[in-house]
Coordinates of all heavy atoms in Angstrom, one line a residue:
E3 N 1.6 5.1 0.9 CA 1.2 6.1 1.8 C 1.8 7.4 1.3 O 3.0 7.4 0.9 CB 1.7 5.8 3.2 CG 1.0 4.7 3.9 CD 1.6 4.5 5.3 OE1 2.6 3.9 5.4 OE2 1.0 5.1 6.2
I4 N 1.1 8.5 1.5 CA 1.7 9.8 1.2 C 1.7 10.6 2.5 O 0.7 10.8 3.2 CB 0.8 10.6 0.1 CG1 0.9 9.8 -1.2 CG2 1.4 12.0 0.0 CD1 0.0 10.4 -2.3
V5 N 3.0 10.9 2.9 CA 3.2 11.5 4.2 C 4.1 12.7 4.2 O 4.8 12.9 3.2 CB 3.9 10.4 5.1 CG1 3.1 9.2 5.3 CG2 5.3 10.0 4.6
P6 N 4.1 13.5 5.2 CA 5.0 14.7 5.3 C 6.5 14.1 5.3 O 6.7 13.0 5.8 CB 4.7 15.4 6.6 CG 3.3 15.0 6.9 CD 3.2 13.6 6.4
E7 N 7.4 14.9 4.7 CA 8.8 14.5 4.7 C 9.3 14.5 6.1 O 9.2 15.5 6.8 CB 9.6 15.4 3.8 CG 11.1 15.0 3.8 CD 12.0 16.0 3.0 OE1 11.4 16.7 2.1 OE2 13.2 15.9 3.2
N8 N 10.0 13.4 6.5 CA 10.8 13.4 7.7 C 12.3 13.4 7.2 O 12.8 12.4 6.7 CB 10.5 12.1 8.4 CG 11.4 11.9 9.7 OD1 12.5 12.5 9.8 ND2 10.9 11.2 10.6
P9 N 13.0 14.6 7.3 CA 14.3 14.7 6.7 C 15.3 13.6 7.2 O 16.1 13.1 6.4 CB 14.8 16.1 7.2 CG 13.5 16.9 7.3 CD 12.5 15.9 7.8
A10 N 15.2 13.3 8.5 CA 16.2 12.3 9.1 C 15.9 10.9 8.4 O 16.9 10.1 8.2 CB 16.0 12.2 10.6
Q11 N 14.7 10.6 8.1 CA 14.3 9.3 7.5 C 14.3 9.3 6.0 O 14.7 8.3 5.4 CB 12.9 9.0 8.0 CG 12.4 7.6 7.7 CD 11.0 7.4 8.2 OE1 10.4 8.2 8.9 NE2 10.5 6.2 8.0
H12 N 14.0 10.4 5.3 CA 13.8 10.4 3.9 C 14.8 11.1 3.0 O 14.9 10.8 1.8 CB 12.4 11.0 3.6 CG 11.2 10.4 4.2 ND1 10.3 11.1 4.9 CD2 10.9 9.1 4.3 CE1 9.3 10.2 5.3 NE2 9.7 9.0 5.0
A13 N 15.6 12.0 3.6 CA 16.5 12.9 2.8 C 17.4 12.1 1.8 O 17.4 12.4 0.6 CB 17.3 13.8 3.7
D14 N 18.1 11.1 2.3 CA 19.0 10.4 1.4 C 18.3 9.7 0.3 O 18.7 9.7 -0.9 CB 19.9 9.4 2.2 CG 20.9 10.1 3.1 OD1 21.2 11.3 2.9 OD2 21.4 9.4 4.0
A15 N 17.1 9.1 0.6 CA 16.4 8.3 -0.4 C 15.8 9.3 -1.4 O 15.7 9.0 -2.6 CB 15.2 7.5 0.3
I16 N 15.4 10.5 -1.0 CA 14.9 11.5 -1.9 C 16.0 12.0 -2.9 O 15.7 12.0 -4.1 CB 14.3 12.7 -1.2 CG1 13.0 12.3 -0.5 CG2 14.0 13.9 -2.1 CD1 12.4 13.3 0.5
E17 N 17.2 12.2 -2.4 CA 18.3 12.6 -3.3 C 18.6 11.5 -4.3 O 18.9 11.8 -5.4 CB 19.5 13.1 -2.4 CG 19.3 14.3 -1.7 CD 18.8 15.5 -2.5 OE1 19.3 15.7 -3.6 OE2 17.9 16.3 -2.1
D18 N 18.6 10.3 -3.8 CA 18.8 9.2 -4.7 C 17.7 9.1 -5.8 O 18.0 8.9 -7.0 CB 18.9 7.9 -3.9 CG 19.1 6.7 -4.8 OD1 20.1 6.6 -5.5 OD2 18.2 5.8 -4.8
L19 N 16.5 9.3 -5.4 CA 15.4 9.3 -6.4 C 15.6 10.5 -7.4 O 15.4 10.2 -8.6 CB 14.0 9.5 -5.6 CG 12.8 9.5 -6.5 CD1 12.7 8.2 -7.3 CD2 11.6 9.8 -5.7
F20 N 15.9 11.6 -6.9 CA 16.2 12.8 -7.9 C 17.3 12.4 -8.9 O 17.2 12.6 -10.1 CB 16.6 14.0 -7.1 CG 15.4 14.7 -6.4 CD1 15.7 15.5 -5.3 CD2 14.1 14.5 -6.8 CE1 14.7 16.1 -4.6 CE2 13.1 15.2 -6.1 CZ 13.4 16.0 -5.0
D21 N 18.4 11.8 -8.4 CA 19.5 11.4 -9.3 C 19.0 10.4 -10.3 O 19.4 10.5 -11.5 CB 20.7 10.9 -8.4 CG 21.4 12.0 -7.6 OD1 21.2 13.2 -7.9 OD2 22.1 11.6 -6.7
R22 N 18.3 9.4 -9.9 CA 17.8 8.4 -10.8 C 16.8 8.9 -11.8 O 16.7 8.5 -12.9 CB 17.2 7.2 -10.0 CG 18.3 6.3 -9.3 CD 17.7 5.1 -8.6 NE 16.8 5.4 -7.5 CZ 15.5 5.2 -7.4 NH1 14.9 4.6 -8.4 NH2 14.9 5.5 -6.3
T23 N 16.0 9.8 -11.3 CA 14.9 10.4 -12.2 C 15.4 11.4 -13.1 O 15.0 11.4 -14.3 CB 13.8 11.0 -11.3 OG1 13.3 10.0 -10.4 CG2 12.6 11.4 -12.1
F24 N 16.2 12.4 -12.7 CA 16.6 13.5 -13.5 C 18.0 13.5 -14.0 O 18.4 14.2 -14.9 CB 16.4 14.8 -12.7 CG 14.9 15.0 -12.2 CD1 14.7 15.1 -10.8 CD2 13.9 15.1 -13.1 CE1 13.4 15.3 -10.4 CE2 12.6 15.3 -12.7 CZ 12.3 15.4 -11.3
G25 N 18.9 12.7 -13.3 CA 20.3 12.7 -13.7 C 21.0 13.9 -13.1 O 20.4 14.8 -12.6
P26 N 22.3 14.0 -13.3 CA 23.0 15.1 -12.8 C 22.7 16.4 -13.4 O 23.0 17.4 -12.8 CB 24.5 14.7 -13.0 CG 24.4 13.7 -14.2 CD 23.1 13.0 -14.1
G27 N 22.1 16.5 -14.5 CA 21.8 17.7 -15.2 C 20.7 18.5 -14.5 O 20.6 19.7 -14.8
H28 N 20.0 18.0 -13.6 CA 18.9 18.7 -13.0 C 19.4 19.9 -12.1 O 18.7 20.9 -11.9 CB 18.0 17.8 -12.1 CG 18.4 17.4 -10.8 ND1 19.3 16.3 -10.6 CD2 18.2 17.9 -9.6 CE1 19.5 16.2 -9.3 NE2 18.9 17.1 -8.7
F29 N 20.7 19.9 -11.7 CA 21.2 21.0 -11.0 C 21.5 22.2 -11.8 O 21.7 23.3 -11.3 CB 22.5 20.6 -10.3 CG 22.3 19.6 -9.2 CD1 22.7 18.3 -9.3 CD2 21.7 20.0 -8.0 CE1 22.5 17.4 -8.3 CE2 21.5 19.1 -7.0 CZ 21.9 17.8 -7.1
A30 N 21.5 22.1 -13.2 CA 21.7 23.2 -14.0 C 20.4 24.0 -14.4 O 20.5 25.0 -15.0 CB 22.4 22.7 -15.3
K31 N 19.3 23.5 -14.0 CA 18.0 24.1 -14.4 C 17.9 25.4 -13.6 O 18.3 25.6 -12.5 CB 16.9 23.2 -14.1 CG 16.8 22.0 -15.0 CD 15.6 21.1 -14.6 CE 15.6 19.9 -15.6 NZ 14.4 19.1 -15.3
T32 N 17.1 26.4 -14.2 CA 16.8 27.6 -13.6 C 16.1 27.5 -12.3 O 16.4 28.2 -11.3 CB 15.9 28.5 -14.6 OG1 16.7 28.8 -15.7 CG2 15.5 29.8 -13.9
A33 N 15.3 26.5 -12.1 CA 14.6 26.3 -10.9 C 15.5 26.0 -9.7 O 15.3 26.4 -8.6 CB 13.6 25.1 -11.0
E34 N 16.6 25.4 -10.0 CA 17.6 25.2 -9.0 C 18.2 26.5 -8.4 O 18.7 26.5 -7.3 CB 18.8 24.3 -9.5 CG 18.3 22.8 -9.6 CD 17.9 22.2 -8.3 OE1 18.5 22.5 -7.2 OE2 16.9 21.4 -8.3
R35 N 18.2 27.6 -9.2 CA 18.7 28.8 -8.7 C 17.9 29.3 -7.6 O 18.3 30.0 -6.7 CB 18.8 29.9 -9.9 CG 19.6 29.6 -11.1 CD 21.1 29.3 -10.9 NE 21.5 28.2 -10.1 CZ 21.6 27.0 -10.5 NH1 21.4 26.6 -11.7 NH2 22.0 26.0 -9.7

Side-chain angles (χ1 to χ4, degrees):
E3 292 182 276
I4 298 176
V5 299
E7 179 183 342
N8 176 336
Q11 184 179 0
H12 300 131
D14 290 342
I16 289 170
E17 292 306 318
D18 179 61
L19 180 61
F20 288 155
D21 289 344
R22 288 185 290 117
T23 303
F24 302 119
H28 78 277
F29 291 110
K31 293 182 179 182
T32 294
E34 286 298 321
R35 302 299 64 84

